[in-house]
Amino acid sequence: MNKKSLPGAPVPGLPWADRPWTKHYSPGVPADLKLPNGSLVDLMDSSVRRFGSKTALEFFGATTSYRELGTLISRAAAGLKKLGVKAGDRVALVLPNCPQHVIAFHAALRLGAVVVEHNPLYTDRELRHQFEDHGAAVAIVWDKAVDRVLQLPADVGLRSIVSVGLIPAMPLAKRLALRLPLPAARKARAALAAGKPAPRAHTGGAPRRVLPWHDLLDAGELKKRHPRPAPEDLAVLQYTSGTTGAPKGAMLTHANLQANAAQGRAWVPGLKDGRETVYAVLPMFHAYGLTLCMTFALSIGARLVLFPKFDVDLVLKAYRKSPATFLPAVPPIYDRIAAAAARRGISLKGIRFSISGAMNLPAATVETWEKATGGYLIEGYGLTETSPISIGNPFGPSRKPGTVGVPFPLTDIRVVDPQNVRIDRAPGEAGELLIRGPQVFAGYWNRPQETEEALLEGGWFRTGDIVSVDKDYFVTIRDRIKELIITGGFNVSPTEVEDVLAEYPGVADVSVVGLPRPGGGEDVVAAVVPAPGGTLDTGALLDFARGQLAAYKVPRRVAVLDVLPRSLIGKVLRREIRDMLAAGR
């Protein structure tokens, strides 16, 4: 049974049934919101029509207009169709931020296919789990990651790989500079591209065809009358660790992502369509970067400046040519940009709007950034399952630093007893946050039981976060029921890291926790019990982990213990371990 229903009027009888927080919205932000009809295909088509000659994408100085972007999307869609992609199929993207990422994303959607985003730095093991789960037959892959994807076993069903190079998307002068026989050029080239061309066939895994990106674009344009996806159709599978265990695919529909882009647009009434410049320093394979850059920015006709990774030098160099006006990021990025700009005497005035997420936003960061830019830096809250943003501080004097703000338009919240979600907490009392809105996901891919546990009657999503709501209805995050670790803006499942460390010879028991770091976010820390009579080389253990996990998941340190604290039923007490390690015991 589908328990999800889109909200109309608030539900009578709840503590905040009339959405009283709307009185704190910035002037011009609607208390209600008429959502656009159609799919993300219609969103993109509208932007191509409205902003045709304006710059859509900028990459190392090379630009693509909205009209050119529309043509490239159509050609890539025709190429995917030639590879056999049809409505409902999954198309895996294993790409950093680059023009081809944007084109491939919207091309797959144009066919009614489902995009599956992957971190291109994932190890073979991490990619295998996700490919086994979603079963994509076609993958569009950064050339530096092609060898890893080729090693996936035959049972994942992958047939074709499209290899994408970043250097061909750069301007000619940059491409020529990278070919110079200089150490700096060689180092930059090695960071951006594979050392050799991608093979045309498999190199050790299952038999697969590999073709370069430009071949995908040689099939002409997709016919205008090709069937289009419906709003309720699945658009994206975004993998999240959820509450526990291995990552699972959150199913986001066209309506979910279209709604969140519209909510984001409404939240910032000072934006000017067709005249903004948005910096994509957040990876678009992450839910935060996906919505703020891939859908929201393009829906308002912004110039989207793409960075394959965050590099403060690249950001400040781009700023000289195309100053940002809207910058979504995480606190460490704001700190580094502000500090580097101050050292170099670069003015950041003109960045009017900045929104921070994924970790707590320190007051010192806000003060420094707003002094440097003259604009606002506010904190928001979201999860992959809410596309992702659901709560935000207003862009204006009504904001409350230290809180994550108030619910977005068309978004309802409840604060309930975590042990009995039928019991609502009164304002001021702590409880589990439930969210309901048009941005709430459709469930977890192939996981009906976990979907049933997460989505309650009436479309309420259990966030697993403990919050309190003050007298003005601003939400403060107090704790997490889930034991997810948030580091550098990314989610890390303790169980996934524990499974890897437990494979190392000489490890008898292991628990992984997150410890707060001074600047916000958490460090991944492992507590390990050696096998009886043995010793443990923690450096070798971490080297082993680096070969199995993405860098941000590798523990920052290892504590060797005699025994792990456990409950009467044998469950490891992660909270007790976390408290013990935080106290230095």
Side-chain angles (χ1 to χ4, degrees):
M1 180 178 65
N2 182 9
K3 295 184 176 181
K4 190 160 177 257
S5 61
L6 296 183
V11 178
L14 294 182
W16 311 290
D18 57 352
R19 293 179 184 154
W21 49 77
T22 59
K23 66 185 178 184
H24 300 295
Y25 284 3
S26 296
V29 176
D32 203 353
L33 183 64
K34 181 176 173 57
L35 295 176
N37 295 319
S39 67
L40 292 177
V41 174
D42 300 303
L43 179 151
M44 179 52 68
D45 283 353
S46 173
S47 291
V48 170
R49 287 193 304 270
R50 294 166 61 204
F51 310 111
S53 61
K54 291 186 177 295
T55 297
L57 309 176
E58 180 179 320
F59 188 63
F60 288 90
T63 59
T64 305
S65 72
Y66 274 89
R67 188 173 296 113
E68 291 168 335
L69 178 58
T71 299
L72 289 167
I73 290 169
S74 180
R75 290 172 61 188
L80 288 174
K81 184 180 179 183
K82 190 174 179 181
L83 289 177
V85 174
K86 58 185 183 302
D89 287 351
R90 275 74 64 205
V91 174
L93 304 188
V94 191
L95 297 168
N97 293 358
C98 58
Q100 299 96 320
H101 194 153
V102 179
I103 294 163
F105 180 92
H106 287 282
L109 297 184
R110 183 69 182 79
L111 296 174
V114 180
V115 172
V116 191
E117 290 281 0
H118 300 271
N119 184 336
L121 300 181
Y122 269 169
T123 64
D124 303 2
R125 178 193 187 110
E126 292 163 319
L127 288 171
R128 175 172 180 166
H129 165 75
Q130 295 184 0
F131 272 80
E132 285 175 339
D133 190 55
H134 60 64
V138 174
I140 303 177
V141 183
W142 184 23
D143 57 9
K144 284 179 70 71
V146 166
D147 282 344
R148 272 176 281 136
V149 175
L150 276 171
Q151 299 307 315
L152 292 171
D155 59 6
V156 304
L158 182 63
R159 298 191 311 266
S160 301
I161 298 171
V162 180
S163 176
V164 173
L166 302 189
I167 294 176
M170 297 177 180
L172 177 61
K174 179 69 175 176
R175 299 201 304 269
L176 293 175
L178 288 170
R179 295 175 61 182
L180 294 173
L182 300 172
R186 284 195 293 269
K187 182 179 179 182
R189 190 166 62 244
L192 292 166
K196 57 184 178 180
R200 286 281 184 159
H202 72 287
T203 60
R208 293 180 178 114
R209 177 189 180 195
V210 181
L211 65 152
W213 172 258
H214 59 77
D215 280 10
L216 186 74
L217 303 181
D218 285 346
E221 291 194 52
L222 193 69
K223 293 182 179 178
K224 298 289 186 183
R225 297 194 179 191
H226 190 278
R228 290 167 174 258
E232 63 273 14
D233 287 345
L234 187 57
V236 173
L237 280 182
Q238 194 82 35
Y239 277 83
T240 174
S241 295
T243 54
T244 57
K248 49 187 176 287
M251 299 188 293
L252 303 175
T253 66
H254 286 263
N256 290 150
L257 293 166
Q258 175 101 301
N260 210 221
Q263 290 168 316
R265 174 64 183 87
W267 199 246
V268 196
L271 289 174
K272 299 173 183 175
D273 286 6
R275 296 171 61 183
E276 304 294 340
T277 298
V278 178
Y279 275 16
V281 296
L282 298 168
M284 294 187 296
F285 57 76
H286 188 281
Y288 188 16
L290 178 75
T291 289
L292 271 295
C293 301
M294 190 78 78
T295 56
F296 163 77
L298 296 178
S299 75
I300 64 170
R303 176 190 291 250
L304 184 63
V305 183
L306 299 160
F307 300 90
K309 67 174 183 176
F310 172 67
D311 182 309
V312 70
D313 294 327
L314 289 179
V315 169
L316 292 178
K317 184 176 181 180
Y319 193 84
R320 292 189 179 96
K321 177 186 177 184
S322 304
T325 61
F326 187 100
L327 179 59
V330 293
I333 288 179
Y334 294 119
D335 290 335
R336 290 185 60 189
I337 292 175
R343 286 195 304 270
R344 302 176 195 184
I346 299 172
S347 172
L348 297 176
K349 300 294 183 183
I351 304 180
R352 309 195 317 278
F353 306 108
S354 302
I355 183 168
S356 177
M359 63 180 71
N360 64 295
L361 177 63
T365 299
V366 176
E367 182 180 357
T368 300
W369 185 257
E370 293 191 345
K371 183 178 180 181
T373 64
Y376 282 111
L377 170 57
I378 61 101
E379 186 170 4
Y381 169 86
L383 307 99
T384 301
E385 292 91 340
T386 58
S387 302
I389 307 176
S390 52
I391 296 172
N393 258 293
F395 279 104
S398 62
R399 63 185 174 149
K400 280 195 178 185
T403 75
V404 293
V406 294
F408 266 21
L410 292 184
T411 304
D412 291 309
I413 64 171
R414 292 171 59 193
V415 181
V416 302
D417 182 341
Q419 304 305 317
N420 186 349
V421 295
R422 296 182 179 274
I423 300 175
D424 288 278
R425 300 294 200 196
E429 295 181 349
E432 183 180 357
L433 176 65
L434 307 186
I435 296 175
R436 190 185 71 153
Q439 72 272 51
V440 172
F441 76 142
Y444 295 113
W445 178 256
N446 288 336
R447 298 193 182 219
Q449 182 175 345
E450 294 186 49
T451 298
E452 190 82 8
E453 293 168 355
L455 285 175
L456 307 180
E457 191 71 39
W460 292 101
F461 169 61
R462 295 192 67 167
T463 66
D465 287 326
I466 298 297
V467 307
S468 62
V469 179
D470 67 16
K471 61 182 178 60
D472 294 319
Y473 314 103
F474 281 72
V475 179
T476 299
I477 307 298
R478 298 298 180 189
D479 202 353
R480 290 199 301 274
I481 297 173
K482 59 180 75 173
E483 293 171 321
L484 203 63
I485 301 167
I486 300 178
T487 180
F490 292 99
N491 293 347
V492 176
S493 163
T495 303
E496 183 184 16
V497 181
E498 288 165 358
D499 289 345
V500 169
L501 299 182
E503 293 178 3
Y504 188 76
V507 172
D509 208 355
V510 59
S511 179
V512 172
V513 298
L515 294 185
R517 60 165 67 120
E522 299 171 302
D523 285 330
V524 181
V525 178
V528 177
V529 177
T535 59
L536 192 63
D537 183 341
T538 58
L541 175 62
L542 292 178
D543 286 341
F544 173 79
R546 291 185 188 101
Q548 304 293 317
L549 297 166
Y552 67 88
K553 298 179 184 179
V554 176
R556 296 295 294 272
R557 65 185 176 94
V558 176
V560 179
L561 305 181
D562 293 329
V563 66
L564 297 183
R566 293 179 178 271
S567 69
L568 291 176
I569 61 172
K571 182 179 179 181
V572 173
L573 300 175
R574 282 201 182 111
R575 182 179 296 278
E576 189 171 320
I577 294 170
R578 184 164 58 244
D579 293 344
M580 181 171 58
L581 296 180
R585 292 182 279 116

